[in-house]
Amino acid sequence: MGNNPKSPSSPKGGHPQASRESQRTQDIRKLAAYIQSEKCKNIVLMLGAGCSTSSGIPDFRSPKTGLYSNLARLKLPHPEAVFEINFFRRNPVPFYTLAAELYPGNFRPSPTHSFVKLLSSHGLLKMCFTQNIDTLERRAGVPSDKIIEAHGSFAEQRCVDCKTPFPDDEMRDIVLGDRPEAEEVRIPRCKRAKCGGLVKPDIVFFGEALPENFIRNIPVVGYADLLLIIGTSLTVHPFASLANMADRRTCQRVLINLETVGDLGRRPNDIVLLGECDAIVRELCEALGWGEELERTWAETALDGKTDEAKEKLEEKVEDEEKEKEEREEVLEHEVEKITESIGKRLDLDETKDSDADAAKGSFDMSTSAVKQGEPLEQTPEPAKSSNDGKL
Ligand code: OAD
C-alpha cells in the first residue's frame, strides 16, 4: 500500500505533478478502504504545529513563516532558547514577550482538528498525541481522555522553584492585559512568602521532563493499526521517537505533511501524502463518505456567529474538561512516580533519524533511544549551525 515520495513515477511524456496527484488520490482511496476495514480498529495520531497553521498560528521551523525565523527582535543566542528552561531562568523577558502571541484565545480549530474529532466519534480514535500547546484539539471537541498534550499547555502555571500554582486570571491579565508602556513586559512572580520565584506556564521547555501521562501512554502506539502523523517536522524527541514504535507487521504508518520527515517512506508499506493537511483530510473524508460530516463538524467550531454567552459556555466546557483531566491525572501520578524517576526523560532536539534497529527493539526502548540520540539540552553547547536544521 506504500509509496516512495522521493522518486515519483511519471508515465513517459506525462506531467510529474499530475502523476504525483494521481498517486496521492490512489493512496488516499487505499487508506480510506483500510480505515473502513475490519483490520483498522485503533488509530493513533501524532500531531504537530502544521495542523494549526491554517488557524493562524505559525509553526516553528518552516523557513520564513516559522516562529523560529521571526525572533530576531528578541535578541536570542539561538531561536530555541526562548523555550529553554535554563535560559528562561536567566532571562524570562523573551518568553513573556512572545507569550501574548501564543496564548490560546480566539483561534479556531482547523478542518484537520475536526477530522480528529470525527475519528473519535466514529469510535476509531485510540489516542491523539499532540505537541501543540494551542489546545485546539479540545476546542474541536476531541474528548480530553483521548488527548495527550506531550509538550504541556498554557492551561495552568506555577513557580519554577517551589512549584506553587499561580492563579489563572492573574496570569491571563499579566500576559494579555494592558501594559503601561507598549514595550514593557510583565513577569509573573510566585506569591508564596519568601519565594518570589519565576512563574512559568506548564509548557514543557527544553531540558524539562515530559508529562507523566505521555510516558504512561507510550505503549498505546504499539497497539495501533494505523499511525497518522500530521504536520510535524519530527525533530523534537522523545515525541518524534513514537513514530518508530509502530509495529512494522501490523501497523500502517501514514505521513500527512508539506515535506517528508523522519524515516517516513522507508518502511515498504508507509504512505506519504505531501501537501496541505486540511486539503488531504478533506479528500480522505470524501473517500470515507464523511465529507459533509466533516464540514458540519468544522462549522460548529466557528466562533464568529456565536453569542458571547455561547462563547463563554464553550470556554467553560473546555476549562471543565481540563480540570477533570488534571484531577484524573493527579490520582494516577502517584502510581507512575517510580517509573518516571527511573526513566528520567528530558525533552531533546535531534534530527538524527531513528534506525530500524531502534524501531525493532520494541515499545519501552523508545525512551532510551531518544536519550541516546542527543544530550539533554542544558548540557549541549551553543549551536554551531542555524536553528532550522534542528540541531543544537
Ligand atoms: P515544526 O515547525 O518543527 O514542523 C511543522 C511541520 O509541519 C513542518 O514539517 C511543515 O512543513 C509542516 N506544515 C506546516 N504547515 C502545514 C500544513 N498546512 N499542512 C501540512 N503540513 C504543514 O513544528 P513541530 O514539529 O510541531 O516545542 O515542532 C515540534 C516542537 O518544536 C514544538 O512542540 C515546539 C518546538 O520547539 C516546544 O515548544 C517545547
Side-chain angles (χ1 to χ4, degrees):
M1 164 139 74
N3 64 18
N4 182 349
K6 283 181 181 143
S7 56
S9 57
S10 100
K12 256 190 181 163
H15 197 282
Q17 176 72 19
S19 165
R20 268 199 296 274
E21 274 171 20
S22 83
Q23 175 69 52
R24 182 171 114 173
T25 305
Q26 279 176 33
D27 283 335
I28 287 175
R29 285 208 194 113
K30 282 179 194 161
L31 175 57
Y34 181 65
I35 291 174
Q36 284 167 331
S37 74
E38 275 300 301
K39 278 191 209 156
C40 185
K41 295 198 172 76
N42 296 315
I43 300 182
V44 172
L45 282 106
M46 290 173 64
L47 305 185
C51 297
S52 303
T53 52
S54 70
S55 302
I57 305 170
D59 68 8
F60 294 89
R61 296 178 180 80
S62 282
K64 296 189 184 148
T65 55
L67 190 73
Y68 290 151
S69 301
N70 291 288
L71 297 181
R73 66 202 149 103
L74 299 182
K75 299 189 174 65
L76 297 160
H78 48 275
E80 285 92 350
V82 73
F83 293 119
E84 285 175 8
I85 188 63
N86 286 349
F87 183 84
F88 176 83
R89 282 177 183 277
R90 292 195 303 274
N91 180 9
V93 173
F95 173 75
Y96 276 105
T97 308
L98 205 62
E101 292 165 41
L102 297 173
Y103 215 74
N106 289 325
F107 297 111
R108 178 188 175 183
S110 67
T112 301
H113 294 110
S114 293
F115 168 64
V116 182
K117 184 185 176 192
L118 280 199
L119 288 175
S120 167
S121 47
H122 284 263
L124 290 165
L125 181 65
K126 185 75 180 166
M127 196 57 81
C128 172
F129 291 88
T130 181
Q131 295 163 98
N132 299 339
I133 54 176
D134 54 32
T135 66
L136 288 182
E137 296 85 3
R138 288 156 191 267
R139 281 165 197 271
V142 180
S144 57
D145 62 348
K146 298 278 180 202
I147 304 170
I148 305 289
E149 287 165 337
H151 294 171
S153 83
F154 273 101
E156 289 196 334
Q157 50 285 317
R158 66 199 69 244
C159 172
V160 294
D161 295 325
C162 73
K163 310 295 175 204
T164 302
F166 188 82
D168 296 348
D169 49 349
E170 286 185 44
M171 181 71 174
R172 200 178 173 79
D173 184 51
I174 287 174
V175 175
L176 296 179
D178 289 336
R179 294 167 183 169
E181 300 269 333
E183 252 55 78
E184 196 177 324
V185 176
R186 291 162 71 193
I187 311 288
R189 293 267 173 192
C190 182
K191 295 158 83 83
R192 222 183 97 221
K194 293 187 187 159
C195 179
L198 285 165
V199 169
K200 181 183 84 60
D202 289 345
I203 297 168
V204 181
F205 275 28
F206 293 111
E208 287 192 305
L210 270 74
E212 278 104 9
N213 70 344
F214 172 80
I215 308 283
R216 203 168 53 237
N217 279 284
I218 287 170
V220 168
V221 184
Y223 300 113
D225 306 311
L226 172 62
L227 179 64
L228 279 177
I229 301 165
I230 312 180
T232 172
S233 61
L234 288 184
T235 49
V236 175
H237 291 267
F239 188 93
S241 311
L242 293 182
N244 288 328
M245 305 273 303
D247 189 314
R248 55 179 59 243
R249 291 155 306 167
T250 55
C251 180
Q252 171 68 58
R253 298 194 309 176
V254 178
L255 173 72
I256 300 178
N257 209 48
L258 289 179
E259 55 183 347
T260 51
V261 295
D263 72 344
L264 271 293
R266 276 204 232 151
R267 292 189 188 177
N269 69 337
D270 281 348
I271 291 182
V272 177
L273 299 167
L274 297 185
E276 295 282 341
C277 53
D278 291 345
I280 293 171
V281 302
R282 279 192 158 114
E283 213 179 317
L284 177 59
C285 285
E286 283 299 328
L288 285 162
W290 299 356
E292 274 179 31
E293 198 184 353
L294 177 71
E295 297 309 327
R296 230 183 13 254
T297 306
W298 185 54
E300 285 165 13
T301 66
L303 290 176
D304 291 353
K306 292 204 166 92
T307 59
D308 284 349
E309 200 186 334
K311 281 186 196 173
E312 267 169 35
K313 273 193 184 153
L314 190 66
E315 293 281 333
E316 272 170 27
K317 191 167 169 266
V318 171
E319 274 168 29
D320 286 350
E321 283 196 0
E322 274 166 10
K323 290 259 172 324
E324 270 173 36
K325 191 178 178 195
E326 275 148 22
E327 279 163 20
R328 276 200 305 273
E329 276 161 14
E330 265 168 38
V331 173
L332 284 164
E333 203 168 304
H334 182 67
E335 292 172 31
V336 294
E337 230 164 48
K338 283 181 192 159
I339 301 170
T340 48
E341 267 170 26
S342 64
I343 291 174
K345 294 274 335 95
R346 283 172 190 277
L347 190 65
D348 200 4
L349 254 185
D350 194 331
E351 269 199 336
T352 314
K353 310 302 179 224
D354 291 328
S355 68
D356 285 352
D358 280 339
K361 280 196 298 180
S363 315
F364 288 96
D365 252 13
M366 188 213 75
S367 55
T368 47
S369 101
V371 169
K372 270 190 287 173
Q373 285 159 14
E375 292 298 300
L377 215 69
E378 63 268 35
Q379 292 172 25
T380 312
E382 295 292 301
K385 286 183 171 186
S386 88
S387 67
N388 282 336
D389 69 4
K391 288 185 180 149
L392 286 177

